[in-house]
Amino acid sequence: MTISAILFLLVLLAAFSFFMGRQKVHAVYLKQRQNSDLDVRLRVKFTLPKYFGYVAALWSLVPALLVLMVIEIVDEPIITKQLTNYMVQSNINIEENFDLYLNEIQNLDVNHIEGIDPAKVKVFEKFSDLNSIASTAKSVVVLALAILMTVFGLKKITVDLPARQYFEKAIEIILLLAASIAVLTTVGIVLSVLFESIRFFGEIPVVDFMFGTQWSPQTAIRPDQVGSSATFGAVPLFIGTMLISFVALVVAVPLGLMSAIFLSEYASSKFRSFAKPVLEILAGIPTVVYGFFAALTVAPFIRQLGESVGLSVASESALAAGLVMGIMIIPFVSSLADDVISAVPQSMREGSLGLGATKSETIIKVLIPAALPGIVGGVLLAASRAIGETMIVVMAAGLAANLTVNPLNAVTTVTVQIVTLLTGDQEFDSAKTLAAFALGLMLFLTTLVLNVIALYVVRKYREQYD
Amino acid sequence: MSNQTDKATLASMHADHGTTVGQPFCDNAKLSTRNVDVYYADNQAIHDVSLDIGRNEVIALIGPSGCGKSTYLRCLNRMNDTIDICKVTGQLLLDGQNIYAKNQDPVLLRARVGMVFQKPNPFPKSIYDNVAYGPRIHGLTSNKAELDDLVEESLIKAGLFKEVKDRLEAPGTGLSGGQQQRLCIARTIAVQPEVILMDEPASALDPIATAIIEELISELRKNYTIVIVTHSMQQAARVSQRTAYFHLGKLIEVGETNQIFTNPKHELTEKYITGRFG
Ligand SMILES: Nc1ncnc2c1ncn2[C@@H]1O[C@H](COP(=O)(O)OP(=O)(O)OP(=O)(O)O)[C@@H](O)[C@H]1O
Ligand SMILES: [Mg+2]
């Protein structure tokens, strides 16, 4: 039986328990509600029969699901183990990597086994056997447990059961589980990045990485080539990232904030309901589109403009990438800022206007301070987006790791280099590959620091209304 | 003609012609309004109200909830402009100048006609900054010392200074409801308007704070014109010279406060002040 069939049966069973559980208390419940004794009435008054149904459904569902999960996790190793034992017993030896071999076995097609090594076919047959045994065992165990728990649960359901409280508790636990999955995943990612980075720093000293100004990760194939040893100085990448993000924010923050103020305070509600979604589309355009827009339109334009005033501009420049990226992230600033400014209570506006303040005075002195957390949040979101953006940079700012703060030069960014490090066939533990993790870690730390700063700014300057 | 029939006649007269009983007009009007209609979209909230508000008088607006007191009050400083769907017609004059004229600057108008709202709405700023807000935007003081004095004076007038003098830098939103309302009053008088509109300024206050506010109102009357909306008949009787009774968006009766409370001419007014509805 497949997993989905098992799940389907479990859901059916849970629905059955729900109705049975509800039905079981229903009559008693109605009678008790009419009882002349207040105590008896109160006992059922705030617990609807459906809560008994929910508890019954949880009894049939949760233990079975937990067991199913455990089986799903352990069954593959067990099958593999059995298979190895079988291969040893029947003297089947393989030269290749066992994992690869297993993979081939798994991918064998029952209908096309002619002409394949008979030993392999034997292993395949054993594998299929084991699989079907496991699958049957799984179905039997899980469904038996579910039925058992259903019977048990329904037996326990009486009107005196604090069903509503149980259900609330169950909801709380489910929510907690959901939250922990998110947190654990984050922790897991950070830890794996951290460990890989530590391996990298075992080969390349931390100081060289953090303060080195030369980034050329390519190891030469022949020793007599130029640059035969790779250098991993990350400074140019981070400067490049900051430069482009800075340009982007210089574009996006004023434009976004001003359009937010216009939309929330000046525009008619009709215009707002039309313009806001349109503005938000900016964030939905694929970045590749922005990329070629930057590379084919903006970059040449800036280059011509620069040359006409006698500046030398690289054909791929940080300015072009930053400008286009800035346009892209406008909605992150404007949409959030618009929401929080609109959310400032009308009484604040009236209080200020009632004292003879103009609209702009009201906005600057009352609305923006009150909306500051949301505005900073929007800017932060935009900044993280700018820092993480890759495609526009690849297309418009290039791959050259120049150490410069001149936005007219070509630069590259951390994310772009991570991509170039990891694309193509790589050995997984060369310094070149591991460098990607170190860069990722640094990027993570950068955004973390940015968040902490923003939190501090908000705490310090926020004017909290209630 | 007995008293009873007299009232009935007047009531039917009102129903027929939409006229207001009593003396809605006065010679020395600071604010003068004629045939004011207010609509929220298609829903008419004020019907043909004509009323004068005399210089240096305190006029109380009373009436059951939803009868349009706040709406009428908010016409007087064009606060209704902030509500998109709200439309005001009729003639409204401040010192003979049309409040709703095209060339009338609502910002200046609101500096001259200050407002204290029904629900306290201090800014999320310090107590000091709340009071200094108006003087700062209007440049009423030329240095910090003058501003300090003005803030202190306004807080004293509003009866709040003693309670907050040690924490002027604390946020105004951290005060109790009654304190917040007095802060809003201090904030309004710091701008030194000519007219002060008060929308139930004491509805969140205890009797002591209410007494302070009422005393303040009597004090302010020397220099200001005050329109106060209140649900407390006693308060209206204590602070106002004239009282106007609104009912379902119509101005039913206006008169000397004493007369309104002792000898109302209109049936509806009488019903309201004797507590038979409202
Ligand atoms: N912003 C608004 N939009 C639509 N209708 C409104 C608005 N404000 C008030 N109204 C309507 O106008 C009428 C008068 O309301 P108003 O607030 O002036 O009453 P009020 O006399 O101040 O009542 P209260 O004593 O309860 O404060 C009510 O019917 C109300 O529903
Ligand atoms: Mg009101």
Side-chain angles (χ1 to χ4, degrees), chain A residues 354, chain B residues 29-31 53-58 76-77 93-97 104 107-115 188-197 220-227:
Chain B
K30 177 78 182 172
L31 281 156
I53 292 151
R55 222 169 280 279
N56 296 354
E57 86 167 345
V58 178
L76 301 177
N77 68 346
L93 306 176
L94 171 67
D95 284 335
Q97 286 177 325
Q104 172 69 53
V107 170
L108 179 64
L109 174 76
R110 291 181 194 133
R112 293 175 65 193
V113 183
M115 184 158 202
T188 304
I189 55 186
V191 184
Q192 297 161 353
E194 298 158 37
V195 181
I196 302 177
L197 311 174
L220 291 172
R221 186 166 81 87
K222 293 176 194 147
N223 305 310
Y224 305 91
T225 302
I226 295 169
V227 187

mmCIF file of all heavy atoms in Angstrom, chain A residues 354, chain B residues 29-31 53-58 76-77 93-97 104 107-115 188-197 220-227:
data_model
loop_
_atom_site.group_PDB
_atom_site.id
_atom_site.type_symbol
_atom_site.label_atom_id
_atom_site.label_comp_id
_atom_site.label_asym_id
_atom_site.label_seq_id
_atom_site.Cartn_x
_atom_site.Cartn_y
_atom_site.Cartn_z
ATOM 1 N N GLY A 354 -5.808 69.383 13.672
ATOM 2 C CA GLY A 354 -6.626 70.241 14.530
ATOM 3 C C GLY A 354 -5.825 71.325 15.212
ATOM 4 O O GLY A 354 -6.388 72.319 15.684
ATOM 5 N N ALA B 29 -21.813 87.867 16.973
ATOM 6 C CA ALA B 29 -21.450 86.490 16.648
ATOM 7 C C ALA B 29 -19.983 86.360 16.266
ATOM 8 O O ALA B 29 -19.467 87.124 15.449
ATOM 9 C CB ALA B 29 -22.326 85.983 15.512
ATOM 10 N N LYS B 30 -19.333 85.371 16.881
ATOM 11 C CA LYS B 30 -17.966 85.011 16.471
ATOM 12 C C LYS B 30 -18.049 84.053 15.295
ATOM 13 O O LYS B 30 -17.381 84.209 14.282
ATOM 14 C CB LYS B 30 -17.243 84.338 17.648
ATOM 15 C CG LYS B 30 -15.851 83.864 17.344
ATOM 16 C CD LYS B 30 -14.865 85.000 17.336
ATOM 17 C CE LYS B 30 -13.480 84.498 16.983
ATOM 18 N NZ LYS B 30 -12.546 85.635 16.787
ATOM 19 N N LEU B 31 -18.905 83.062 15.488
ATOM 20 C CA LEU B 31 -19.162 82.103 14.418
ATOM 21 C C LEU B 31 -20.635 82.216 14.060
ATOM 22 O O LEU B 31 -21.483 82.314 14.945
ATOM 23 C CB LEU B 31 -18.907 80.677 14.900
ATOM 24 C CG LEU B 31 -17.459 80.208 14.952
ATOM 25 C CD1 LEU B 31 -17.324 79.083 15.951
ATOM 26 C CD2 LEU B 31 -16.997 79.751 13.582
ATOM 27 N N ILE B 53 -22.764 81.664 17.230
ATOM 28 C CA ILE B 53 -22.028 81.440 18.469
ATOM 29 C C ILE B 53 -21.382 82.764 18.836
ATOM 30 O O ILE B 53 -20.581 83.312 18.066
ATOM 31 C CB ILE B 53 -20.981 80.335 18.288
ATOM 32 C CG1 ILE B 53 -21.715 78.990 18.094
ATOM 33 C CG2 ILE B 53 -20.062 80.248 19.492
ATOM 34 C CD1 ILE B 53 -20.971 78.004 17.281
ATOM 35 N N GLY B 54 -21.767 83.295 20.001
ATOM 36 C CA GLY B 54 -21.354 84.645 20.364
ATOM 37 C C GLY B 54 -19.907 84.711 20.807
ATOM 38 O O GLY B 54 -19.310 83.711 21.221
ATOM 39 N N ARG B 55 -19.367 85.908 20.693
ATOM 40 C CA ARG B 55 -18.012 86.156 21.158
ATOM 41 C C ARG B 55 -17.943 85.922 22.672
ATOM 42 O O ARG B 55 -18.837 86.331 23.406
ATOM 43 C CB ARG B 55 -17.656 87.613 20.870
ATOM 44 C CG ARG B 55 -16.280 87.839 20.345
ATOM 45 C CD ARG B 55 -16.141 89.267 19.844
ATOM 46 N NE ARG B 55 -16.736 89.411 18.502
ATOM 47 C CZ ARG B 55 -16.104 89.054 17.386
ATOM 48 N NH1 ARG B 55 -14.883 88.567 17.447
ATOM 49 N NH2 ARG B 55 -16.670 89.219 16.213
ATOM 50 N N ASN B 56 -16.876 85.242 23.109
ATOM 51 C CA ASN B 56 -16.659 85.003 24.538
ATOM 52 C C ASN B 56 -17.847 84.336 25.234
ATOM 53 O O ASN B 56 -18.079 84.576 26.404
ATOM 54 C CB ASN B 56 -16.330 86.306 25.264
ATOM 55 C CG ASN B 56 -15.028 86.895 24.768
ATOM 56 O OD1 ASN B 56 -14.340 86.264 23.974
ATOM 57 N ND2 ASN B 56 -14.713 88.081 25.216
ATOM 58 N N GLU B 57 -18.555 83.529 24.491
ATOM 59 C CA GLU B 57 -19.585 82.764 25.192
ATOM 60 C C GLU B 57 -19.213 81.284 25.155
ATOM 61 O O GLU B 57 -18.430 80.842 24.320
ATOM 62 C CB GLU B 57 -20.974 82.988 24.573
ATOM 63 C CG GLU B 57 -21.300 82.074 23.414
ATOM 64 C CD GLU B 57 -22.794 82.127 23.060
ATOM 65 O OE1 GLU B 57 -23.579 82.637 23.879
ATOM 66 O OE2 GLU B 57 -23.144 81.667 21.971
ATOM 67 N N VAL B 58 -19.779 80.592 26.129
ATOM 68 C CA VAL B 58 -19.653 79.138 26.094
ATOM 69 C C VAL B 58 -21.010 78.606 25.691
ATOM 70 O O VAL B 58 -22.010 78.880 26.348
ATOM 71 C CB VAL B 58 -19.257 78.573 27.471
ATOM 72 C CG1 VAL B 58 -19.190 77.052 27.396
ATOM 73 C CG2 VAL B 58 -17.935 79.150 27.934
ATOM 74 N N LEU B 76 -16.985 73.301 11.989
ATOM 75 C CA LEU B 76 -16.558 74.641 12.356
ATOM 76 C C LEU B 76 -15.059 74.855 12.169
ATOM 77 O O LEU B 76 -14.599 75.988 12.113
ATOM 78 C CB LEU B 76 -16.966 74.941 13.808
ATOM 79 C CG LEU B 76 -18.480 74.852 14.076
ATOM 80 C CD1 LEU B 76 -18.790 75.087 15.534
ATOM 81 C CD2 LEU B 76 -19.235 75.863 13.207
ATOM 82 N N ASN B 77 -14.276 73.783 12.140
ATOM 83 C CA ASN B 77 -12.856 73.961 11.798
ATOM 84 C C ASN B 77 -12.466 73.101 10.594
ATOM 85 O O ASN B 77 -11.310 72.790 10.393
ATOM 86 C CB ASN B 77 -11.952 73.668 12.998
ATOM 87 C CG ASN B 77 -11.951 72.212 13.391
ATOM 88 O OD1 ASN B 77 -12.804 71.452 12.951
ATOM 89 N ND2 ASN B 77 -10.992 71.826 14.205
ATOM 90 N N LEU B 93 -19.542 81.222 8.788
ATOM 91 C CA LEU B 93 -18.667 82.395 8.832
ATOM 92 C C LEU B 93 -17.922 82.455 10.150
ATOM 93 O O LEU B 93 -18.494 82.207 11.221
ATOM 94 C CB LEU B 93 -19.482 83.674 8.665
ATOM 95 C CG LEU B 93 -20.394 83.777 7.447
ATOM 96 C CD1 LEU B 93 -21.187 85.080 7.500
ATOM 97 C CD2 LEU B 93 -19.576 83.703 6.159
ATOM 98 N N LEU B 94 -16.633 82.786 10.079
ATOM 99 C CA LEU B 94 -15.852 83.074 11.276
ATOM 100 C C LEU B 94 -15.448 84.539 11.178
ATOM 101 O O LEU B 94 -14.760 84.932 10.228
ATOM 102 C CB LEU B 94 -14.600 82.192 11.330
ATOM 103 C CG LEU B 94 -13.586 82.525 12.419
ATOM 104 C CD1 LEU B 94 -14.136 82.247 13.806
ATOM 105 C CD2 LEU B 94 -12.285 81.746 12.205
ATOM 106 N N ASP B 95 -15.920 85.353 12.113
ATOM 107 C CA ASP B 95 -15.686 86.798 12.035
ATOM 108 C C ASP B 95 -16.102 87.340 10.675
ATOM 109 O O ASP B 95 -15.399 88.159 10.070
ATOM 110 C CB ASP B 95 -14.209 87.129 12.274
ATOM 111 C CG ASP B 95 -13.855 87.035 13.749
ATOM 112 O OD1 ASP B 95 -14.764 87.199 14.595
ATOM 113 O OD2 ASP B 95 -12.674 86.774 14.051
ATOM 114 N N GLY B 96 -17.206 86.834 10.158
ATOM 115 C CA GLY B 96 -17.715 87.335 8.892
ATOM 116 C C GLY B 96 -17.043 86.751 7.663
ATOM 117 O O GLY B 96 -17.463 87.016 6.543
ATOM 118 N N GLN B 97 -16.003 85.929 7.852
ATOM 119 C CA GLN B 97 -15.319 85.335 6.697
ATOM 120 C C GLN B 97 -15.808 83.919 6.471
ATOM 121 O O GLN B 97 -15.926 83.136 7.426
ATOM 122 C CB GLN B 97 -13.812 85.284 6.940
ATOM 123 C CG GLN B 97 -13.137 86.615 6.829
ATOM 124 C CD GLN B 97 -11.672 86.484 7.143
ATOM 125 O OE1 GLN B 97 -11.291 85.681 7.987
ATOM 126 N NE2 GLN B 97 -10.868 87.277 6.483
ATOM 127 N N GLN B 104 -10.032 80.291 1.572
ATOM 128 C CA GLN B 104 -9.813 80.112 3.015
ATOM 129 C C GLN B 104 -8.777 79.011 3.229
ATOM 130 O O GLN B 104 -8.898 77.920 2.678
ATOM 131 C CB GLN B 104 -11.134 79.741 3.702
ATOM 132 C CG GLN B 104 -11.000 79.339 5.160
ATOM 133 C CD GLN B 104 -10.619 80.511 6.052
ATOM 134 O OE1 GLN B 104 -11.252 81.537 6.039
ATOM 135 N NE2 GLN B 104 -9.551 80.338 6.811
ATOM 136 N N VAL B 107 -5.551 75.415 7.194
ATOM 137 C CA VAL B 107 -4.497 75.321 8.204
ATOM 138 C C VAL B 107 -4.589 76.509 9.168
ATOM 139 O O VAL B 107 -4.557 76.348 10.395
ATOM 140 C CB VAL B 107 -3.117 75.260 7.522
ATOM 141 C CG1 VAL B 107 -2.005 75.399 8.541
ATOM 142 C CG2 VAL B 107 -2.983 73.948 6.766
ATOM 143 N N LEU B 108 -4.732 77.687 8.609
ATOM 144 C CA LEU B 108 -4.870 78.884 9.438
ATOM 145 C C LEU B 108 -6.157 78.815 10.258
ATOM 146 O O LEU B 108 -6.188 79.137 11.442
ATOM 147 C CB LEU B 108 -4.873 80.129 8.540
ATOM 148 C CG LEU B 108 -5.031 81.452 9.278
ATOM 149 C CD1 LEU B 108 -3.828 81.687 10.186
ATOM 150 C CD2 LEU B 108 -5.191 82.597 8.305
ATOM 151 N N LEU B 109 -7.220 78.377 9.592
ATOM 152 C CA LEU B 109 -8.510 78.265 10.280
ATOM 153 C C LEU B 109 -8.397 77.384 11.519
ATOM 154 O O LEU B 109 -8.878 77.730 12.588
ATOM 155 C CB LEU B 109 -9.550 77.681 9.325
ATOM 156 C CG LEU B 109 -10.906 77.373 9.960
ATOM 157 C CD1 LEU B 109 -11.686 78.651 10.175
ATOM 158 C CD2 LEU B 109 -11.692 76.392 9.121
ATOM 159 N N ARG B 110 -7.693 76.234 11.366
ATOM 160 C CA ARG B 110 -7.607 75.296 12.485
ATOM 161 C C ARG B 110 -6.696 75.812 13.574
ATOM 162 O O ARG B 110 -6.807 75.403 14.733
ATOM 163 C CB ARG B 110 -7.144 73.929 11.996
ATOM 164 C CG ARG B 110 -8.194 73.256 11.154
ATOM 165 C CD ARG B 110 -7.753 71.892 10.693
ATOM 166 N NE ARG B 110 -8.626 71.424 9.624
ATOM 167 C CZ ARG B 110 -8.191 70.892 8.495
ATOM 168 N NH1 ARG B 110 -6.892 70.775 8.285
ATOM 169 N NH2 ARG B 110 -9.044 70.494 7.587
ATOM 170 N N ALA B 111 -5.774 76.681 13.215
ATOM 171 C CA ALA B 111 -4.973 77.312 14.262
ATOM 172 C C ALA B 111 -5.824 78.304 15.049
ATOM 173 O O ALA B 111 -5.614 78.515 16.238
ATOM 174 C CB ALA B 111 -3.762 78.006 13.643
ATOM 175 N N ARG B 112 -6.801 78.914 14.375
ATOM 176 C CA ARG B 112 -7.674 79.874 15.063
ATOM 177 C C ARG B 112 -8.812 79.190 15.786
ATOM 178 O O ARG B 112 -9.304 79.677 16.797
ATOM 179 C CB ARG B 112 -8.243 80.872 14.043
ATOM 180 C CG ARG B 112 -7.186 81.778 13.434
ATOM 181 C CD ARG B 112 -7.791 82.646 12.351
ATOM 182 N NE ARG B 112 -8.783 83.576 12.888
ATOM 183 C CZ ARG B 112 -9.640 84.280 12.140
ATOM 184 N NH1 ARG B 112 -9.624 84.140 10.818
ATOM 185 N NH2 ARG B 112 -10.493 85.105 12.693
ATOM 186 N N VAL B 113 -9.274 78.067 15.221
ATOM 187 C CA VAL B 113 -10.369 77.325 15.838
ATOM 188 C C VAL B 113 -9.819 75.966 16.275
ATOM 189 O O VAL B 113 -9.735 75.034 15.492
ATOM 190 C CB VAL B 113 -11.528 77.132 14.841
ATOM 191 C CG1 VAL B 113 -12.687 76.416 15.510
ATOM 192 C CG2 VAL B 113 -11.972 78.463 14.280
ATOM 193 N N GLY B 114 -9.371 75.897 17.525
ATOM 194 C CA GLY B 114 -8.745 74.671 18.013
ATOM 195 C C GLY B 114 -9.778 73.639 18.398
ATOM 196 O O GLY B 114 -10.964 73.917 18.498
ATOM 197 N N MET B 115 -9.305 72.403 18.597
ATOM 198 C CA MET B 115 -10.261 71.329 18.855
ATOM 199 C C MET B 115 -9.724 70.333 19.872
ATOM 200 O O MET B 115 -8.570 69.939 19.814
ATOM 201 C CB MET B 115 -10.572 70.606 17.552
ATOM 202 C CG MET B 115 -11.614 69.537 17.699
ATOM 203 S SD MET B 115 -12.376 69.189 16.121
ATOM 204 C CE MET B 115 -13.910 68.480 16.648
ATOM 205 N N THR B 188 -3.998 72.082 22.966
ATOM 206 C CA THR B 188 -4.828 72.977 22.170
ATOM 207 C C THR B 188 -4.680 74.433 22.616
ATOM 208 O O THR B 188 -4.535 75.330 21.772
ATOM 209 C CB THR B 188 -6.305 72.555 22.268
ATOM 210 O OG1 THR B 188 -6.408 71.192 21.871
ATOM 211 C CG2 THR B 188 -7.179 73.414 21.387
ATOM 212 N N ILE B 189 -4.675 74.664 23.927
ATOM 213 C CA ILE B 189 -4.596 76.075 24.351
ATOM 214 C C ILE B 189 -3.202 76.640 24.165
ATOM 215 O O ILE B 189 -3.039 77.853 24.092
ATOM 216 C CB ILE B 189 -5.105 76.287 25.799
ATOM 217 C CG1 ILE B 189 -4.371 75.390 26.772
ATOM 218 C CG2 ILE B 189 -6.591 76.083 25.908
ATOM 219 C CD1 ILE B 189 -4.952 75.485 28.180
ATOM 220 N N ALA B 190 -2.197 75.760 24.017
ATOM 221 C CA ALA B 190 -0.841 76.270 23.777
ATOM 222 C C ALA B 190 -0.760 77.027 22.463
ATOM 223 O O ALA B 190 0.105 77.884 22.275
ATOM 224 C CB ALA B 190 0.159 75.113 23.793
ATOM 225 N N VAL B 191 -1.650 76.710 21.528
ATOM 226 C CA VAL B 191 -1.645 77.392 20.228
ATOM 227 C C VAL B 191 -2.364 78.735 20.325
ATOM 228 O O VAL B 191 -2.297 79.564 19.424
ATOM 229 C CB VAL B 191 -2.297 76.469 19.157
ATOM 230 C CG1 VAL B 191 -2.245 77.078 17.775
ATOM 231 C CG2 VAL B 191 -1.620 75.129 19.147
ATOM 232 N N GLN B 192 -3.031 78.986 21.435
ATOM 233 C CA GLN B 192 -3.785 80.210 21.676
ATOM 234 C C GLN B 192 -4.778 80.507 20.566
ATOM 235 O O GLN B 192 -4.703 81.541 19.886
ATOM 236 C CB GLN B 192 -2.818 81.390 21.856
ATOM 237 C CG GLN B 192 -1.953 81.179 23.070
ATOM 238 C CD GLN B 192 -0.694 82.029 23.051
ATOM 239 O OE1 GLN B 192 -0.394 82.697 22.056
ATOM 240 N NE2 GLN B 192 0.040 82.005 24.146
ATOM 241 N N PRO B 193 -5.724 79.591 20.383
ATOM 242 C CA PRO B 193 -6.734 79.812 19.349
ATOM 243 C C PRO B 193 -7.754 80.850 19.814
ATOM 244 O O PRO B 193 -7.719 81.276 20.971
ATOM 245 C CB PRO B 193 -7.397 78.445 19.218
ATOM 246 C CG PRO B 193 -7.239 77.820 20.563
ATOM 247 C CD PRO B 193 -5.967 78.354 21.146
ATOM 248 N N GLU B 194 -8.643 81.259 18.897
ATOM 249 C CA GLU B 194 -9.696 82.199 19.276
ATOM 250 C C GLU B 194 -10.940 81.446 19.721
ATOM 251 O O GLU B 194 -11.676 81.888 20.593
ATOM 252 C CB GLU B 194 -10.035 83.095 18.093
ATOM 253 C CG GLU B 194 -8.843 83.931 17.645
ATOM 254 C CD GLU B 194 -8.975 84.399 16.210
ATOM 255 O OE1 GLU B 194 -10.100 84.729 15.781
ATOM 256 O OE2 GLU B 194 -7.945 84.417 15.503
ATOM 257 N N VAL B 195 -11.157 80.316 19.054
ATOM 258 C CA VAL B 195 -12.316 79.490 19.391
ATOM 259 C C VAL B 195 -11.785 78.112 19.782
ATOM 260 O O VAL B 195 -10.831 77.626 19.177
ATOM 261 C CB VAL B 195 -13.264 79.334 18.175
ATOM 262 C CG1 VAL B 195 -14.481 78.506 18.540
ATOM 263 C CG2 VAL B 195 -13.664 80.692 17.640
ATOM 264 N N ILE B 196 -12.378 77.539 20.808
ATOM 265 C CA ILE B 196 -12.010 76.164 21.146
ATOM 266 C C ILE B 196 -13.242 75.284 21.036
ATOM 267 O O ILE B 196 -14.275 75.570 21.641
ATOM 268 C CB ILE B 196 -11.430 76.051 22.567
ATOM 269 C CG1 ILE B 196 -10.206 76.958 22.714
ATOM 270 C CG2 ILE B 196 -11.037 74.612 22.859
ATOM 271 C CD1 ILE B 196 -9.622 76.952 24.098
ATOM 272 N N LEU B 197 -13.129 74.225 20.220
ATOM 273 C CA LEU B 197 -14.211 73.261 20.091
ATOM 274 C C LEU B 197 -13.882 72.080 20.978
ATOM 275 O O LEU B 197 -12.796 71.524 20.892
ATOM 276 C CB LEU B 197 -14.338 72.797 18.637
ATOM 277 C CG LEU B 197 -14.364 73.894 17.575
ATOM 278 C CD1 LEU B 197 -14.349 73.281 16.178
ATOM 279 C CD2 LEU B 197 -15.579 74.782 17.757
ATOM 280 N N LEU B 220 -11.267 80.399 30.594
ATOM 281 C CA LEU B 220 -10.926 80.640 29.195
ATOM 282 C C LEU B 220 -11.937 81.552 28.507
ATOM 283 O O LEU B 220 -11.614 82.234 27.544
ATOM 284 C CB LEU B 220 -10.857 79.308 28.431
ATOM 285 C CG LEU B 220 -9.695 78.374 28.774
ATOM 286 C CD1 LEU B 220 -9.879 77.043 28.079
ATOM 287 C CD2 LEU B 220 -8.364 78.996 28.375
ATOM 288 N N ARG B 221 -13.146 81.550 29.008
ATOM 289 C CA ARG B 221 -14.217 82.293 28.362
ATOM 290 C C ARG B 221 -13.884 83.770 28.218
ATOM 291 O O ARG B 221 -14.337 84.442 27.293
ATOM 292 C CB ARG B 221 -15.501 82.131 29.170
ATOM 293 C CG ARG B 221 -16.721 82.741 28.532
ATOM 294 C CD ARG B 221 -17.945 82.239 29.235
ATOM 295 N NE ARG B 221 -18.187 82.971 30.463
ATOM 296 C CZ ARG B 221 -18.884 84.114 30.510
ATOM 297 N NH1 ARG B 221 -19.378 84.629 29.404
ATOM 298 N NH2 ARG B 221 -19.085 84.726 31.651
ATOM 299 N N LYS B 222 -13.062 84.273 29.157
ATOM 300 C CA LYS B 222 -12.698 85.690 29.099
ATOM 301 C C LYS B 222 -12.036 86.028 27.762
ATOM 302 O O LYS B 222 -12.215 87.110 27.224
ATOM 303 C CB LYS B 222 -11.749 86.035 30.238
ATOM 304 C CG LYS B 222 -12.431 85.926 31.595
ATOM 305 C CD LYS B 222 -11.428 86.185 32.711
ATOM 306 C CE LYS B 222 -11.998 85.753 34.045
ATOM 307 N NZ LYS B 222 -10.947 85.236 34.950
ATOM 308 N N ASN B 223 -11.243 85.103 27.266
ATOM 309 C CA ASN B 223 -10.500 85.395 26.042
ATOM 310 C C ASN B 223 -10.944 84.607 24.825
ATOM 311 O O ASN B 223 -10.616 84.971 23.697
ATOM 312 C CB ASN B 223 -9.016 85.129 26.269
ATOM 313 C CG ASN B 223 -8.496 85.899 27.459
ATOM 314 O OD1 ASN B 223 -8.706 87.103 27.575
ATOM 315 N ND2 ASN B 223 -7.839 85.187 28.361
ATOM 316 N N TYR B 224 -11.630 83.508 25.073
ATOM 317 C CA TYR B 224 -11.943 82.630 23.960
ATOM 318 C C TYR B 224 -13.443 82.434 23.811
ATOM 319 O O TYR B 224 -14.212 82.690 24.727
ATOM 320 C CB TYR B 224 -11.315 81.247 24.154
ATOM 321 C CG TYR B 224 -9.839 81.235 24.392
ATOM 322 C CD1 TYR B 224 -9.322 81.290 25.670
ATOM 323 C CD2 TYR B 224 -8.951 81.154 23.323
ATOM 324 C CE1 TYR B 224 -7.961 81.256 25.894
ATOM 325 C CE2 TYR B 224 -7.586 81.124 23.535
ATOM 326 C CZ TYR B 224 -7.095 81.175 24.832
ATOM 327 O OH TYR B 224 -5.753 81.140 25.045
ATOM 328 N N THR B 225 -13.812 81.931 22.651
ATOM 329 C CA THR B 225 -15.173 81.465 22.427
ATOM 330 C C THR B 225 -15.121 79.949 22.488
ATOM 331 O O THR B 225 -14.217 79.341 21.910
ATOM 332 C CB THR B 225 -15.645 81.917 21.035
ATOM 333 O OG1 THR B 225 -15.564 83.335 20.986
ATOM 334 C CG2 THR B 225 -17.057 81.452 20.764
ATOM 335 N N ILE B 226 -16.059 79.356 23.192
ATOM 336 C CA ILE B 226 -15.966 77.913 23.401
ATOM 337 C C ILE B 226 -17.263 77.220 23.012
ATOM 338 O O ILE B 226 -18.355 77.640 23.401
ATOM 339 C CB ILE B 226 -15.628 77.596 24.871
ATOM 340 C CG1 ILE B 226 -14.227 78.128 25.198
ATOM 341 C CG2 ILE B 226 -15.690 76.088 25.127
ATOM 342 C CD1 ILE B 226 -13.892 78.104 26.651
ATOM 343 N N VAL B 227 -17.129 76.163 22.199
ATOM 344 C CA VAL B 227 -18.273 75.313 21.875
ATOM 345 C C VAL B 227 -17.999 73.965 22.509
ATOM 346 O O VAL B 227 -16.968 73.352 22.241
ATOM 347 C CB VAL B 227 -18.443 75.142 20.353
ATOM 348 C CG1 VAL B 227 -19.735 74.395 20.058
ATOM 349 C CG2 VAL B 227 -18.424 76.487 19.652
#
